[in-house]
Amino acid sequence: MKRVAIIGGGIAGLSAAYYLEKARKNGTALEWILFEKSERLGGVIRTEYRDGCILEAGPDSFLSIKPEAAELCRELGLGSEIIHSNDFQRKTYILAKGRLVPIPDGLQFMVPTRVWPMVGTRLFSLSTKLRMAREILGPTRNHDHDESVADFVRRHFGQEMVDRVAEPLLAGVYGGNASTLSVRAVLPRFVEMERENGSLVRATLKARKQAPKGPPQPLFTSLRRGMQELVDTIIASLPGSSLRLKQVGVSLRRVSNGWQVETSAGDMNFDAVILAIPAPFAGALLLNLIPEAATILAKIQYTSSAAVLLAYAKPDLPPGFGFLVPASEHKKMLACTFVHNKFSHRVREGTALLRCFFSSARMPELLNRREEDLKMFAREELKEILGLEAEPQFTLVFRWRYGLPQYETGHLERAAQVEAQLRQLPGMHLIGNSLYGIGVPDCIRSARQAVERLLRAE
Ligand SMILES: Cc1cc2nc3c(=O)[nH]c(=O)nc-3n(C[C@H](O)[C@H](O)[C@H](O)COP(=O)(O)OP(=O)(O)OC[C@H]3O[C@@H](n4cnc5c(N)ncnc54)[C@H](O)[C@@H]3O)c2cc1C
């Protein structure tokens, strides 16, 4: 009988529990126990329901091109609950010199693929437009070393593309900074495109020609009643006796036949351990076992995040999914989602729901601020940007201390070092967002792969 401890009950730990339980029900001789520090499961996935609105405190959806989350939803019987973003409403604005300018049609992330929208847009100066046109001619390649997203984008399209597009887009996803994030870890597809073609414009146009014909896939996928539905359905499929909450101060010790998990309620022995907690916590648990890997993990920076949700009665707002705020605009907010357009059925008829995103990358004192301050910042900036002066029907604030890991330049090399060292600890697995992807599908994939490895091992 194999005994497995899972430490951490976010989506990664819960997915690991789900896949282990599935193997157990299919006849594999194993037992597992999940240890979660807090009083609830789900980690940063949390949905609240208020006045007919579905309010996401953490992720509101996942990228449709990464299949693992939707696959898990279907396995759990949630297939009919899967929904997609209203892509006919898909338009995102960038705040440029205090005005909202739509991202021009044909700009795929930062790669221009259509001429006229680029010529006509107010987002870029003439010199950036000329630079875009030249990119298709001049191959620019970097084979040897990792670099920041900002450096990579600047080589192709110049500083204005960094400031106006790459930096705010990355900040909206990672809550971080394009000048420190690793292009190889964060935008591997673009690195591949550069390696093969030199020009990103040429590579994107070629890929588009080769893509199968048919209607485009919706960009985002989610669940009708919010992301919490995934968490609740996983929990409902698991034996409650294996889920241990409020496990503060868990520590690990190597014993002759495996691992001892020490908790305030006593010690338990396991053959394998799955660590599903943010990298610095994993580093702390591994410090006495494998100091070098522990030190690398402890140094992975996480930004803290806050979502401020404000509901309004029928204000006059622009269409689209929302806007991004470049750092050069000197605002506190990084982005704002128009939830009533992106997922319209999550909002009561006649209500507009705005979700403003703040990060410690732009506001280092974020966690020390009072909720009232964050509400005030959101309202002040919405007034400046959208002219929105009305009193919201309600406002809610959610904050995450270890919100999003920052894969800084050289991240993949450090991740490989951690992995190589972890192999020296038989039965020890690290999953979640620490190393290979921050999205919900990435975390689910890491759990599934760890369980597969663990079941294969003697
Ligand atoms: C505000 C925000 C918005 C996001 N938006 C999106 C999005 O739209 N789409 C998307 O795909 N992704 C999004 N992400 C990223 C994604 O949600 C996360 O990367 C993912 O959910 C992390 O899951 P996890 O299980 O690895 O970690 P977590 O959710 O952080 O869970 C870790 C768990 O471990 C517990 N824990 C920590 N230390 C210990 C310990 N020592 N012992 C026991 N338990 C411990 C914690 O209490 C927590 O429950 C977002 C993240 C944030 C913060």
Side-chain angles (χ1 to χ4, degrees):
M1 171 80 71
K2 193 171 260 183
R3 286 175 55 80
V4 185
I6 304 166
I7 302 185
I11 190 61
L14 285 173
S15 305
Y18 169 79
Y19 291 118
L20 285 170
E21 183 61 15
K22 183 174 157 188
R24 195 186 70 78
K25 284 186 181 150
N26 286 338
T28 305
L30 69 84
E31 274 176 15
W32 60 268
I33 293 184
L34 184 150
F35 300 90
E36 162 59 43
K37 182 168 72 172
S38 71
E39 70 294 338
R40 66 174 283 279
L41 296 164
V44 302
I45 298 183
R46 177 169 164 194
T47 310
E48 301 260 321
Y49 306 93
R50 177 146 172 194
D51 294 355
C53 295
I54 295 176
L55 308 162
E56 295 289 12
D60 67 351
S61 56
F62 40 86
L63 282 175
S64 307
I65 46 165
K66 297 191 173 185
E68 293 83 359
E71 277 167 16
L72 177 57
C73 291
R74 281 189 212 98
E75 265 196 48
L76 287 162
L78 290 173
S80 60
E81 291 296 287
I82 288 177
I83 55 160
H84 300 291
S85 46
N86 291 334
D87 283 4
F88 66 93
Q89 286 261 21
R90 192 164 130 202
K91 179 191 278 243
T92 304
Y93 304 85
I94 305 270
L95 189 68
K97 296 194 176 140
R99 293 173 65 185
L100 290 181
V101 180
I103 294 182
D105 286 346
L107 192 68
Q108 292 193 1
F109 187 61
M110 74 260 172
V111 183
T113 60
R114 288 175 55 192
V115 175
W116 294 115
M118 299 309 138
V119 171
T121 181
R122 283 189 288 118
L123 195 57
F124 304 118
S125 62
L126 180 62
S127 65
T128 300
K129 292 176 185 178
L130 293 172
R131 179 98 191 237
M132 288 178 188
R134 278 204 310 273
E135 201 268 355
I136 202 161
L137 306 171
T140 156
R141 293 176 210 246
N142 164 17
H143 290 300
D144 3 294
H145 58 86
D146 194 9
E147 63 189 323
S148 71
V149 172
D151 287 343
F152 178 86
V153 175
R154 193 181 303 111
R155 277 197 296 109
H156 286 269
F157 302 110
Q159 184 63 34
E160 198 174 47
M161 186 66 90
V162 175
D163 295 340
R164 292 264 163 96
V165 180
E167 186 273 329
L169 274 177
L170 264 281
V173 178
Y174 282 83
N177 194 328
S179 59
T180 53
L181 288 170
S182 150
V183 73
R184 289 193 178 177
V186 167
L187 298 175
R189 202 168 63 85
F190 285 95
V191 175
E192 199 51 45
M193 280 158 52
E194 180 188 270
R195 189 172 296 134
E196 286 175 9
N197 298 274
S199 157
L200 299 179
V201 173
R202 204 156 356 109
T204 308
L205 293 174
K206 195 164 116 191
R208 191 194 281 174
K209 248 190 217 151
Q210 289 165 354
K213 297 278 168 279
Q217 208 184 9
L219 191 56
F220 300 105
T221 299
S222 193
L223 290 165
R224 197 172 304 282
R225 291 187 47 72
M227 294 293 289
Q228 181 81 38
E229 216 179 339
L230 172 58
V231 168
D232 291 346
T233 313
I234 298 178
I235 296 170
S237 76
L238 301 174
S241 58
S242 296
L243 301 169
R244 310 275 164 89
L245 302 183
K246 300 185 199 162
Q247 303 289 311
V248 184
V250 167
S251 62
L252 285 178
R253 207 154 67 85
R254 189 137 189 206
V255 288
S256 57
N257 53 350
W259 299 98
Q260 189 165 69
V261 175
E262 301 168 334
T263 74
S264 52
D267 302 342
M268 298 172 86
N269 285 4
F270 294 92
D271 303 293
V273 175
I274 297 179
L275 294 177
I277 54 185
F281 296 127
L285 280 183
L286 293 171
L287 193 59
N288 295 326
L289 300 165
I290 191 148
E292 210 181 309
T295 308
I296 298 175
L297 288 169
K299 283 190 183 155
I300 296 178
Q301 298 294 315
Y302 275 63
T303 50
S304 307
S305 335
V308 181
L309 288 116
L310 306 100
Y312 292 91
K314 283 198 183 152
D316 188 16
L317 290 175
F321 280 8
F323 59 84
L324 301 165
V325 185
S328 54
E329 295 293 314
H330 304 293
K331 300 262 185 264
K332 295 187 169 64
M333 189 185 299
L334 266 63
C336 172
T337 304
F338 301 162
V339 183
H340 51 281
N341 291 337
K342 187 174 175 187
F343 293 110
S344 46
H345 56 279
R346 285 190 172 167
V347 176
R348 197 181 47 193
E349 185 68 36
T351 300
L353 184 63
L354 304 186
R355 193 171 101 127
C356 304
F357 183 54
F358 294 84
S359 162
S360 59
R362 200 169 286 177
M363 211 206 303
E365 76 286 12
L366 179 69
L367 291 182
N368 300 328
R369 287 291 189 172
R370 294 175 314 139
E371 277 198 8
E372 291 313 311
D373 293 342
L374 295 178
K375 289 180 185 175
M376 185 183 72
F377 296 147
R379 287 197 60 191
E380 276 175 7
E381 296 193 349
L382 289 175
K383 184 172 158 194
E384 287 161 14
I385 298 167
L386 297 171
L388 190 54
E389 296 196 45
E391 191 67 30
Q393 293 168 325
F394 64 82
T395 311
L396 289 181
V397 177
F398 300 97
R399 273 189 274 202
W400 302 110
R401 167 105 176 75
Y402 283 85
L404 290 158
Q406 304 300 302
Y407 297 163
E408 296 186 345
T409 315
H411 174 83
L412 291 182
E413 288 78 8
R414 290 190 291 277
Q417 275 173 284
V418 170
E419 276 213 298
Q421 296 217 349
L422 280 180
R423 279 196 284 276
Q424 296 167 28
L425 299 181
M428 183 65 68
H429 302 265
L430 176 64
I431 64 172
N433 63 19
S434 305
L435 298 181
Y436 296 118
I438 67 158
V440 170
D442 302 308
C443 295
I444 294 171
R445 184 181 59 248
S446 74
R448 194 170 71 190
Q449 289 173 344
V451 169
E452 282 164 7
R453 276 199 309 277
L454 191 152
L455 295 177
R456 271 199 311 269
E458 279 302 303

